[in-house]
Amino acid sequence: MIVITTPTGRIGGRLLDLLLHRSPSQGEELRVVVRDPGKLPDAVRARVDVVVGRHDDAEVVDRAFAGADAVFWVAPPTPQAPSLDAVYSGFARPAAEALTAHGVRHVVGVSALGRGTPVADRAGHVTATLAMDDLLASTGAAYRALANPSFMDNLLWQTALIRDHGVYSSTVVADRPAPLAATRDIAAAAADLLLDRSWTGTGEVPVLGPEDLSANDMARIMSEVLGRPVRYERRPLDEFRASLPGRGYSEALAQGFADMMRAKDEGLDAGVERTPRSASPTSFRQWCEEVLKPAVLA
């Protein structure tokens, strides 16, 4: 039995699709924890065990983890949370207790790059994510943190800006190369770990994409794929942080995003060397052709 949290999210939903195709041949049953089961297609609901509720609810995770062999864990967005601890470790504490109580043997969590770097202790959301990893690893389950850089898919939030103005923005230095990953590759890495549970202990599995790219490199590739000029516009960090409460984020989470973006410019994502194992397959050009371009043209 594999339990999937956030089965309607960008990573969890893709993972569920992969496991629905691969798990029957390996004798695996699937269970999902979902707040709104109506968001699951009828064909999916017919093939999985559904536990309804939030996965920070002790009663919900107690039911969900009973009889489970493995769990896929994601802390969902909680924009109005009063603190970063509430979003990550606080959210995960009921699950950590249930993992121990039910003797779940394997857990795969969505996490971030940065552990061991000089800025890991002042990286906002990433610092809190790494603390959550430590909590889940303390349960006695074998734990693998999918250590991710920024997501290519985050650009979809700027689809209208790219389409209407030929601009995308962030706070990072324009010419600093960094890894970035497609969420579908993160889901694929999770599926491999969940279906082959020969691993033990705790550790990280980096998902780095095939190459490092700067913001300017990304703008060039978008321009080539879309057939129209796209330029990168760097936003001042203070301006970015000040905009977030107006978009529904608490002051604590807004500061956490600002601290994370500052840390990225100070080397947060540069602590892991790319290897054939960590170089996930989807290139930024391929992602632009298959995901961004259809979204821009829609």
Side-chain angles (χ1 to χ4, degrees):
M1 172 71 74
I2 299 172
V3 178
I4 305 166
T5 65
T6 66
T8 60
R10 189 171 296 276
I11 299 174
R14 176 65 173 171
L15 171 64
L16 180 56
D17 287 343
L18 291 171
L19 292 180
L20 283 170
H21 281 91
R22 294 174 58 186
S23 62
S25 64
Q26 297 184 229
E28 300 280 3
E29 297 181 0
L30 302 178
R31 178 180 291 157
V32 301
V33 184
V34 62
R35 284 180 288 181
D36 181 2
K39 292 183 177 180
L40 294 169
D42 291 343
V44 171
R45 289 203 303 272
R47 295 182 58 191
V48 301
D49 183 27
V50 178
V51 175
V52 178
R54 289 171 54 96
H55 54 290
D56 66 339
D57 183 310
E59 188 273 333
V60 170
V61 289
D62 185 68
R63 284 191 288 121
F65 295 173
D69 297 288
V71 169
F72 174 71
W73 178 262
V74 181
T78 313
Q80 281 296 308
S83 68
L84 292 176
D85 179 79
V87 177
Y88 298 100
S89 293
F91 191 94
R93 285 186 185 105
E97 294 176 3
L99 290 171
T100 301
H102 291 288
V104 177
R105 298 183 63 182
H106 291 85
V107 181
V108 176
V110 172
S111 185
L113 291 171
R115 187 178 293 277
T117 64
V119 293
D121 62 347
R122 56 178 188 277
H125 285 265
V126 170
T127 303
T129 298
L130 299 179
M132 181 185 69
D133 291 337
D134 293 339
L135 172 66
L136 295 172
S138 73
T139 63
Y143 183 70
R144 287 294 181 273
L146 296 170
N148 302 303
S150 298
F151 299 163
M152 298 177 191
D153 303 70
N154 288 347
L155 278 172
L156 293 173
W157 300 340
Q158 302 191 55
T159 298
L161 189 64
I162 294 168
R163 180 185 61 236
D164 299 337
H165 301 285
V167 173
Y168 86 101
S169 68
S170 183
T171 66
V172 297
V173 174
D175 59 357
R176 179 185 57 78
L180 66 162
T183 54
R184 63 191 185 189
D185 289 349
I186 300 167
D192 289 343
L193 288 165
L194 290 165
L195 290 172
D196 178 10
R197 300 190 292 274
S198 59
W199 43 277
T200 59
T202 63
E204 293 186 338
V205 176
V207 184
L208 301 180
E211 59 187 340
D212 287 1
L213 295 172
S214 70
N216 284 342
D217 291 332
M218 293 166 63
R220 172 181 53 79
I221 292 169
M222 282 189 275
S223 299
E224 293 168 358
V225 170
L226 297 176
R228 64 181 75 175
V230 178
R231 63 181 174 85
Y232 173 64
E233 186 174 274
R234 188 182 186 193
R235 298 183 65 186
L237 195 60
D238 290 345
E239 176 189 299
F240 166 72
R241 188 250 180 269
S243 73
L244 293 175
R247 291 160 55 187
Y249 291 95
S250 69
E251 290 292 331
L253 267 65
Q255 187 61 51
F257 279 118
D259 292 341
M260 178 180 70
M261 296 309 293
R262 181 183 294 107
K264 283 182 179 289
D265 262 341
E266 296 175 354
L268 181 71
D269 291 347
V272 177
E273 181 180 355
R274 182 178 285 104
T275 66
R277 187 176 180 85
S278 64
S280 52
T282 303
S283 70
F284 183 65
R285 182 178 296 275
Q286 178 185 356
W287 180 87
C288 286
E289 291 170 344
E290 297 176 358
V291 180
L292 181 65
K293 186 174 182 178
V296 169
L297 296 179

